[in-house]
Amino acid sequence: MPLLRCDVAVVGAGPAGSMAARAAAEHGVHVILIEEHPEVGRPVYCAEGLSLNGFVDAGLKPTPEIVSQEIVKVRVYAPNKRYLELTSSDWVGYTINRDVFDRALSERAVEAGAELMTGTRATGVVKEGGVVSGVVAHRGGETVRIEAKVVVGADGYASTVRKSAGLGRWYPDIVTCAQFKLGDLSLDEPEVNEFHLGSKVAPGAYAWVFPKSQEVANVGLG
Ligand SMILES: Cc1cc2nc3c(=O)[nH]c(=O)nc-3n(C[C@H](O)[C@H](O)[C@H](O)COP(=O)(O)OP(=O)(O)OC[C@H]3O[C@@H](n4cnc5c(N)ncnc54)[C@H](O)[C@@H]3O)c2cc1C
């Protein structure tokens, strides 16, 4: 089994993993960042709404490649169709291209010195004397062992790292979502994000319509 060694192994190149990898690499340690998909950012499981503060926190700028649509207000519909509008002169929101956003974050991690391995799926952590000392991963039909002083489990809600390390889940339940990218639309107000509440449209949660342009919207229920 091929053996790799690093200081920090980060599992999952979503926003959390790429930002953790970047921060560690910027401090001069050897980082390996692994991502199960062949391409960072895809598939997209997200409504793609992000405020300007979200960009600032991520250390990115709202470039035309990442931003699909600028949003000036959020409208929250009650079951009786009355709505509340949330807006502010110092608030800017966006519907982004989440795949481009995630890719940009992973590129920053690589620029900082992290080694990115896509198409590499962690199957579990390695433990020595009860202490996590690395991860085992599948990559291109072979099994790879990555020894690390620190393992960061940034592999999302169903985290393999968390489960194999024997850690519990802090959130009580998981809500199933349905999400679609609808095209060929003719939206009157593409600069408005909509939330729809009520037991008929979205029992226990909400439905969203986040325009990506006048013709395209990210629409979902969760
Ligand atoms: C339907 C939906 C809509 C959402 N809408 C919004 C929104 O509009 N705005 C917003 O800010 N947030 C939204 N969120 C939340 C947002 O997507 C998450 O908060 C964010 O993705 C969490 O980032 P993360 O890096 O922790 O995990 P993730 O983005 O889930 O990244 C985890 C990464 O780990 C990889 N991975 C998983 N398992 C392994 C493994 N075993 N080995 C290697 N790699 C692995 C995955 O492929 C993925 O790239 C939404 C979430 C959902 C589900």
Side-chain angles (χ1 to χ4, degrees):
M1 182 190 313
L3 174 66
L4 302 172
R5 287 200 176 87
C6 63
D7 296 309
V8 180
V10 181
V11 180
S18 287
M19 289 175 71
R22 175 184 175 180
E26 280 173 350
H27 284 82
V29 297
H30 179 201
V31 180
I32 294 180
L33 169 61
I34 69 170
E35 166 56 44
E36 66 176 339
H37 291 107
E39 207 183 338
V40 171
R42 289 194 183 156
V44 170
Y45 301 122
C46 186
E48 304 182 291
L50 194 69
S51 68
L52 181 58
N53 284 343
F55 273 99
V56 173
D57 288 346
L60 294 177
K61 293 203 178 338
T63 61
E65 294 77 30
I66 301 178
V67 170
S68 187
Q69 172 68 49
E70 192 169 311
I71 301 298
V72 298
K73 68 173 84 154
V74 173
R75 201 173 279 157
V76 183
Y77 284 87
N80 64 4
K81 299 294 171 208
R82 293 180 66 133
Y83 60 78
L84 183 75
E85 282 190 347
L86 306 172
T87 188
S88 161
S89 56
D90 61 359
W91 181 86
V92 186
Y94 305 96
T95 310
I96 62 168
N97 297 313
R98 172 70 195 265
D99 52 343
V100 184
F101 179 82
D102 281 20
R103 213 158 49 236
L105 286 176
S106 72
E107 284 164 6
R108 295 299 180 285
V110 170
E111 281 162 20
E115 198 180 322
L116 173 64
M117 293 168 61
T118 53
T120 307
R121 182 171 58 84
T123 54
V125 297
V126 179
K127 278 189 178 176
E128 279 167 27
V131 175
V132 172
S133 60
V135 288
V136 173
H138 282 318
R139 175 181 169 81
E142 68 177 1
T143 303
V144 186
R145 183 181 164 118
I146 304 171
E147 285 183 359
K149 292 176 192 152
V150 174
V151 173
V152 177
D155 46 345
Y157 75 96
S159 176
T160 298
V161 171
R162 172 182 61 74
K163 282 184 269 191
S164 64
L167 299 172
R169 213 174 62 189
W170 65 268
Y171 41 86
D173 54 11
I174 293 173
V175 176
T176 304
C177 297
Q179 179 220 323
F180 300 91
K181 189 172 165 185
L182 300 187
D184 215 9
L185 307 173
S186 179
L187 299 171
D188 292 334
E189 296 174 289
E191 67 287 352
V192 179
N193 271 0
E194 292 180 8
F195 288 90
H196 295 263
L197 308 176
S199 55
K200 279 199 180 139
V201 288
Y206 59 85
W208 70 83
V209 180
F210 288 3
K212 286 179 73 83
S213 68
Q214 197 161 21
E215 295 80 27
V216 179
N218 183 319
V219 176
L221 180 65

